[in-house]
Amino acid sequence: MPTEVKGGAGRGAFITFEGGEGGGKSTQVQRLVAALRARGVETVATREPGGSPNAEALRDVLLAGLVAPLGPAAEALIFSAARIDHIDNLIRPALQRGAFVVCDRFADSTRAYQGALGKLSETFIDGLEKVTIGDVRPDLTFVLDLPAEEGMARAGARRGRAAADRFEAEAIEFHRALRDSFRAIAAAHPERCVLVDATQGIDEVAADIWAAVCRRFPAVAVASLPT
Ligand code: TYD
């Protein structure tokens, strides 16, 4: 019988991973999901843009750069349209049945990429976030932080000979500003965000993340591993 672990009142827990390119988010999502499942916690792993069939279709359009010519406001709207579908069809139902949802990128990415770098007003981003996510706010957000040069080198090595996508193709100044923007988001929301030093090795980063999950959800810490 798995230990019942719930994040907040009457619902599961929502954990997001954020940061620039090459910070190892996907690896850390996998590690955390495996650790939670090993303790009998029902856990849904997902990502943005995407996570539901309609949102995955919009992902292709966005990452191919087809919306870029319309400007950052239009891009923010299409990322948000994908997010609404993802929330309605996957995230909210999972939280309602008490599951943990671990998501690779969420609304902070729109705030950093389209908002800060696209020079959209805070009023625009705040309003968009409010109508898009409503009360589906993350309980805990990991911001994986590393210098832009290191992140881009890692992303390039991972990509090999494949073409860079819409955002990977941006100049290094863009990625430096992106890092500043994610750090500012983490500083503005200390109750929700944990800034993680992503220059460390994979195991050290995973250990920092696990410690923070156990602090935020003490029931997870005492859930026993199968014998
Ligand atoms: P992905 O290949 O998943 O990149 P990463 O491994 O860095 O997460 O592509 C997602 C890209 O979309 C990434 O460059 C960030 C960007 N993005 C936005 O610009 N706004 C958003 O709201 C989201 C969710 C992602």
Side-chain angles (χ1 to χ4, degrees):
M1 178 74 181
T3 315
E4 196 182 348
V5 176
K6 290 197 178 174
R11 84 174 193 28
F14 187 24
I15 302 175
T16 58
F17 281 74
E18 299 279 6
E21 317 283 328
K25 284 183 287 80
S26 317
T27 306
Q28 295 300 332
V29 166
Q30 285 170 18
R31 293 281 291 251
L32 176 58
V33 167
L36 287 166
R37 287 184 181 154
R39 284 162 176 80
V41 180
E42 187 199 346
T43 307
V44 174
T46 189
R47 69 167 180 186
E48 289 211 348
S52 60
N54 291 327
E56 288 288 331
L58 289 175
R59 175 188 176 92
D60 294 342
V61 173
L62 285 160
L63 296 193
L66 296 177
V67 189
L70 282 69
E75 261 188 335
L77 290 172
I78 304 298
F79 275 108
S80 300
R83 182 160 303 130
I84 288 170
D85 192 76
H86 185 205
I87 290 172
D88 285 349
N89 292 294
L90 188 131
I91 299 175
R92 189 182 293 106
L95 292 174
Q96 281 173 347
R97 63 173 191 269
F100 271 53
V101 175
V102 181
C103 190
D104 189 340
R105 296 197 183 282
F106 193 62
D108 294 324
S109 282
T110 306
R111 187 172 288 277
Y113 281 80
Q114 283 68 52
L117 292 169
K119 304 206 174 359
L120 299 175
S121 74
E122 292 237 340
T123 317
F124 179 90
I125 289 290
D126 288 346
L128 186 59
E129 196 174 291
K130 202 166 163 198
V131 295
T132 304
I133 73 177
D135 61 353
V136 184
R137 301 200 162 271
D139 300 294
L140 182 59
T141 296
F142 291 106
V143 176
L144 300 198
D145 179 59
L146 81 174
E149 291 74 8
E150 200 173 329
M152 291 312 288
R154 286 197 203 171
R158 179 185 63 190
R159 187 168 70 236
R161 289 145 73 104
D165 73 24
R166 144 103 185 81
F167 296 98
E168 288 168 346
E170 293 278 359
I172 193 71
E173 292 73 30
F174 174 98
H175 294 282
R176 287 196 192 113
L178 190 60
R179 180 190 192 195
D180 293 344
S181 164
F182 276 117
R183 290 176 66 99
I185 291 171
H189 300 281
E191 74 298 341
R192 165 173 74 87
C193 295
V194 177
L195 192 72
V196 179
D197 174 5
T199 64
Q200 303 178 95
I202 290 175
D203 290 341
E204 286 75 20
V205 174
D208 283 358
I209 289 170
W210 185 247
V213 168
C214 292
R215 274 197 304 277
R216 179 70 180 75
F217 307 106
V220 165
V222 296
S224 52
L225 287 164
T227 44

